[in-house]
Amino acid sequence: MNKINQETLAVKRAEQLFDRRRRTVGLFGGPLLALLVFFTPIDGLTLEAHKLLSIMVLVAIWWITEPVSIPVTSLIGPTLAVMTGVVPVSMAFAAFANPMIFLFMGGFILAKAMMTHDIDKRFAYWLLSRSWVGSNPRRIFLAIGLAAALCSGWISNTATAAMMFPICLGLLASIKEMFAASGRNIDLYDYKYATGLMLMTAYACSIGGVLTPIGTPPNLIMLGFLDQMCDIHVSFFEWMTWGVIAMILYFIIAYIVLARMFPADVTKIEGAEQFIQDKLRELGHWTRAQKNTVICFGVSVILWILPGFLSIALGSTSPVLKMYNLLFPEAVAAMLGALLLFLLPVNFKKREFTLTWKDARDGIEWGTLILFGGGLAMGGMMYKTGLSKWVGDSIIAMMGGEPSAIAMVAIFSIMALLLSELTSHTAATNMIGPLAITAAISAGINPVPVSVAIALSASLGFMLPVSTPPNAIVYASGYIPITKMIRTGVYIDVIGIACVTIPLCIYFVSWIIG
């Protein structure tokens, strides 16, 4: 145990040293490189586009190296664009009022209500208490992953991991007690099943995020770029048609890899069923607040997916569908469900409602919204100044002039994955997204499959604790040697990109969008 702790401590110290050096290099290197780009003559660029290119170099380097927080960097880009005369202020900050921002905000508020009133825990414990799960360690392993994946499709991956983490710790404590009762003392820090269960929790949270547009920021970021740069709208229903497939296939790959690498050495975990039943009993009966939350969440979900069924039943050109989309776009559907939380009473005499603004405010990830708005602002300015066309043409020229759709999807998927392993997947998507879309347009390729591939790949950050917050949460348990995380992450990343992301986007996504 001491050896494991010492190894974990050494890894953390190495990470801290690397982070400090990375931030220092970025702090000074970013502005210097931006100035170098500005003073280097570049044919084919207007003065405004040249200025914006230098600003984007600074923003990209600071997004990767994080000398200041990522949301702050996201505000620096539009601010400098106004100060240097690239675009007027009204255009630079218009993206921060994009409807996608309010879709995300509504999703955050609904997720906060679900967590405040323990809807997420109810679902997780309900799934784990099913008769098919029982005390079988392999089925518990599967059920933990399913609960994490399905929850993270609708609420934050980080929040889901934080919710599932103590459940896993409790199950592992039951295993240790079971062995102790039979005279065997196990060290959970060096127990394969403990490592596998923790990794399954983290990976399933990231995998579940691909299910819906609101599941994880990269999804909405790419949809926002498509809408702003190409005037292409991908509906909630359309995303879920491939999101469901991607989630299932990624999950199967992760389950098989982890189950084979970290098998259980028992056929039954004594006390596991009792542990879950006790936790479920602690939640008590359904409260009025919980029922209200489910109603509000159900309203938004129905409004999100109804256009898909209307399109199937009435046709995509139906006047009814057009009127519905005009009155209830995704952002309005999200806000309607969220606002109902403040109107449905829990105790009307005391004027107590399902959610308070204080709770909602604490649940909104303001930094993510700012980062999202900053990314959309930079993408919009690229299009306005003509920088996007120049970048797209340059990328296509480097790829030989006529790259295939498969090559485009593969290259940008790998770029998104590698960058997401080293920095925030949200920042990585903001950097790669506009480049990929402009390159696809320059090559005469539909930008939607490439955009979806980037969003899906950005969620496959499984190699390092710093890759995603769920990875960091479970790594803090001490049950996961860093070498094991890297090894399993490489397997799942490679298989996921090659066997799921690329073929799914090339064939299925292309078919869905026509």
Side-chain angles (χ1 to χ4, degrees), residues 229-283:
M229 299 176 68
C230 311
D231 197 26
I232 295 176
H233 178 73
V234 177
S235 70
F236 203 99
F237 182 86
E238 284 176 321
W239 180 279
M240 286 195 67
T241 57
W242 57 70
V244 169
I245 297 173
M247 186 191 76
I248 292 173
L249 294 179
Y250 287 148
F251 185 86
I252 291 173
I253 292 168
Y255 177 78
I256 292 174
V257 170
L258 292 173
R260 290 180 66 86
M261 292 184 66
F262 308 103
D265 56 353
V266 292
T267 57
K268 186 177 182 181
I269 301 175
E270 298 290 348
E273 286 181 281
Q274 187 61 45
F275 171 79
I276 296 299
Q277 290 297 334
D278 290 343
K279 290 294 184 181
L280 194 57
R281 199 174 298 112
E282 287 175 9
L283 294 175

Side-chain angles (χ1 to χ4, degrees), residues 44 91 105 111 175 193 247 257 272 282 315 324 338 374 416 423 494 509:
M91 181 190 173
M105 184 182 294
I175 293 176
Y193 186 75
M247 186 191 76
V257 170
E282 287 175 9
Y324 182 94
T423 186
V494 172
V509 173

Side-chain angles (χ1 to χ4, degrees), residues 394-406:
S394 300
I395 292 174
I396 295 306
M398 288 188 292
M399 296 177 66
E402 295 183 359
S404 65
I406 295 178

Side-chain angles (χ1 to χ4, degrees), residues 246 249-258 260-261 414 417 457 460 462-463 487-504:
L249 294 179
Y250 287 148
F251 185 86
I252 291 173
I253 292 168
Y255 177 78
I256 292 174
V257 170
L258 292 173
R260 290 180 66 86
M261 292 184 66
I414 294 171
L417 172 63
S457 300
L460 297 179
F462 298 149
M463 288 175 57
R487 186 182 175 192
T488 54
V490 168
Y491 287 153
I492 300 173
D493 283 350
V494 172
I495 298 172
I497 289 284
C499 300
V500 180
T501 307
I502 295 174
L504 179 69

Side-chain angles (χ1 to χ4, degrees), residues 19 37 76 93 109 114 141 148 151 158 189 193 275-276 310 320 322 348 354 380 403:
D19 285 343
V37 169
I76 288 174
F93 291 97
I109 295 173
M114 293 175 71
F141 193 82
C151 283
T158 307
Y189 291 93
Y193 186 75
F275 171 79
I276 296 299
L310 290 177
V320 174
K322 291 180 179 178
F348 189 72
T354 308

